[in-house]
Amino acid sequence: MLGISRRKKISYVVNLAIVILLYVVFTMLIRQGVVNSYYSDIINMMCINIIMAVSLNLVTGLLGQLVLGHAGFMLVGAYAAGLFTLHSGLPLPVAFPIALVLGGLVAALFGVIIGVPALRLKGDYLAIITLGFGEIIRVIANNLTITNGAKGLYGIDSLNSRHNLTAMFTYMFFIAVLTIFISFTFGTSRHGRAVISIREDEIAAEASGINTTYYKLLAFILAAFFAGVAGGLYAHQIGLIDPSKFDFNRSVEILVMVVLGGMGSITGSIISAGVLTVLPEALRGFASYRMLLYSIVLICVMLFRPTGLLGRSEFSLMKTVDKIKGAVKGKKQDPASNKEG
């Protein structure tokens, strides 16, 4: 902790306390039965979407490259983790964490295979080639015997099926927290600053001695790894996976979360992923108009906040407290200044 200011230390402690408090509160609500299996599934899906949105933000927000095939990495991770759990012969508590790491590593490997040729392109061309790779992965999974083709991979054991909702939530919650922490740390490190410099001006970054190919590939692989882990979580949450769940629409859904929250803002991605996961369920009572209302909300946000909810800035609790203190002090000083006048 040497070299870290007192203010940052306080910020770290406060953030850690909030994370622990959230976990304790949700765990107690689940154990007491206040949060039943339906709401628990929504919370778990929210964690998965947060992981997907934050990981995509590394490429789309931090690196500034439009990627439309992120669901392909989720598919690879889901099948790798699901197949390992089904055929390893290990008990689920042992196989599950290994399967998640394996899913992430296999997705990262595909990230290298796809990233090396794809990242030579920019803009629309990169979007099209990543979309093509995502669809190729889905079609291959749809025709392989080992993946059970279009029938899907079923019988994947879940910690939820053992009537232990808190165990699955614990994995979901802390992996989401770890993804956020690593992404934020990466973004504020010298490696993250190198990636941001590529986003701002790739030619100037390369002229400054930054290995642009290395850093672009690094961000891409890191995003693919977390997407693979999210896929592994999804496979064990649902228990049944088929390629149609990871199509172009899924990639666009994750991209919308990033754009809505603000490209480059991790906290923005967290907020938008949470809202866009809960919103369709909250509007389920308006079944006939659910998607219409959902679309209207998105359009309104894009009209009034075209850069997203937070733009490229991050929400900071310490800065919010400072603003509140400043506003209170300003109100106290105003009457005095009026009297003097």
Side-chain angles (χ1 to χ4, degrees):
M1 298 292 282
L2 294 175
I4 301 177
S5 65
R6 181 173 176 273
R7 182 183 174 84
K8 281 190 175 181
K9 289 179 181 178
I10 294 173
S11 178
Y12 294 154
V13 171
V14 170
N15 290 335
L16 180 62
I18 291 172
V19 168
I20 294 172
L21 180 63
L22 283 173
Y23 174 71
V24 170
V25 169
F26 276 113
T27 302
M28 288 179 62
L29 291 174
I30 292 171
R31 286 179 176 174
Q32 294 298 322
V34 177
V35 175
N36 57 26
S37 59
Y38 171 71
Y39 292 112
S40 178
D41 288 345
I42 295 175
I43 293 170
N44 289 342
M45 283 305 302
M46 189 188 302
C47 291
I48 291 172
N49 286 336
I50 287 172
I51 296 169
M52 290 296 294
V54 170
S55 63
L56 181 59
N57 204 11
L58 288 173
V59 181
T60 302
L62 205 66
L63 184 59
Q65 302 293 334
L66 183 61
V67 175
L68 292 177
H70 204 54
F73 300 120
M74 188 181 184
L75 180 150
V76 170
Y79 274 98
L83 287 169
F84 179 83
T85 303
L86 285 172
H87 302 294
S88 66
L90 296 172
L92 184 62
V94 177
F96 185 46
I98 299 173
L100 294 180
V101 175
L102 180 63
L105 291 175
V106 174
L109 178 61
F110 273 78
V112 175
I113 296 170
I114 296 171
V116 170
L119 292 174
R120 296 177 183 273
L121 304 173
K122 298 179 184 178
D124 298 339
Y125 300 103
L126 177 63
I128 291 169
I129 196 172
T130 52
L131 169 62
F133 274 121
E135 288 300 298
I136 288 169
I137 292 172
R138 185 182 65 82
V139 171
I140 291 173
N142 213 25
N143 290 277
L144 287 178
T145 305
I146 192 173
T147 61
N148 206 25
K151 294 180 181 179
L153 197 65
Y154 55 87
I156 303 171
D157 203 358
S158 171
L159 295 177
N160 281 342
S161 64
R162 297 168 185 264
H163 307 289
N164 188 4
L165 299 178
T166 55
M168 196 65 180
F169 168 72
T170 300
Y171 273 102
M172 296 282 185
F173 182 82
F174 283 108
I175 290 175
V177 169
L178 184 63
T179 303
I180 295 165
F181 174 75
I182 293 175
S183 299
F184 182 78
T185 304
F186 177 78
T188 54
S189 67
R190 67 183 183 88
H191 301 292
R193 290 193 294 271
V195 172
I196 293 171
S197 69
I198 296 171
R199 179 190 69 193
E200 298 300 325
D201 193 325
E202 186 173 345
I203 296 173
E206 195 165 2
S208 301
I210 295 174
N211 189 340
T212 57
T213 303
Y214 168 78
Y215 281 110
K216 286 165 72 175
L217 194 59
L218 177 62
F220 199 74
I221 293 170
L222 192 60
F225 175 82
F226 285 123
V229 173
L233 290 170
Y234 178 82
H236 290 83
Q237 168 68 19
I238 303 299
L240 167 66
I241 51 174
D242 68 270
S244 64
K245 299 292 185 182
F246 308 94
D247 59 0
F248 169 69
N249 292 326
R250 180 60 172 157
S251 293
V252 171
E253 183 183 345
I254 301 301
L255 182 62
V256 167
M257 292 176 185
V258 175
V259 174
L260 182 63
M263 291 192 292
S265 173
I266 293 174
T267 46
S269 294
I270 296 167
I271 295 168
S272 62
V275 171
L276 293 182
T277 304
V278 173
L279 190 60
E281 298 298 328
L283 296 174
R284 194 170 288 277
F286 305 92
S288 302
Y289 306 99
R290 186 164 61 99
M291 294 311 297
L292 177 62
L293 293 172
Y294 181 77
S295 302
I296 290 172
V297 170
L298 290 176
I299 291 170
C300 288
V301 172
M302 288 296 100
L303 285 175
F304 296 104
R305 292 288 297 177
T307 58
L309 295 174
L310 297 181
R312 287 181 177 172
S313 60
E314 299 288 354
F315 174 79
S316 172
L317 189 61
M318 298 296 288
K319 288 181 180 178
T320 305
V321 172
D322 289 343
K323 285 181 181 179
I324 294 171
K325 286 182 179 179
V328 171
K329 285 181 181 179
K331 288 182 179 179
K332 288 181 178 180
Q333 290 173 358
D334 282 343
S337 60
N338 291 333
K339 286 179 182 178
E340 288 176 4

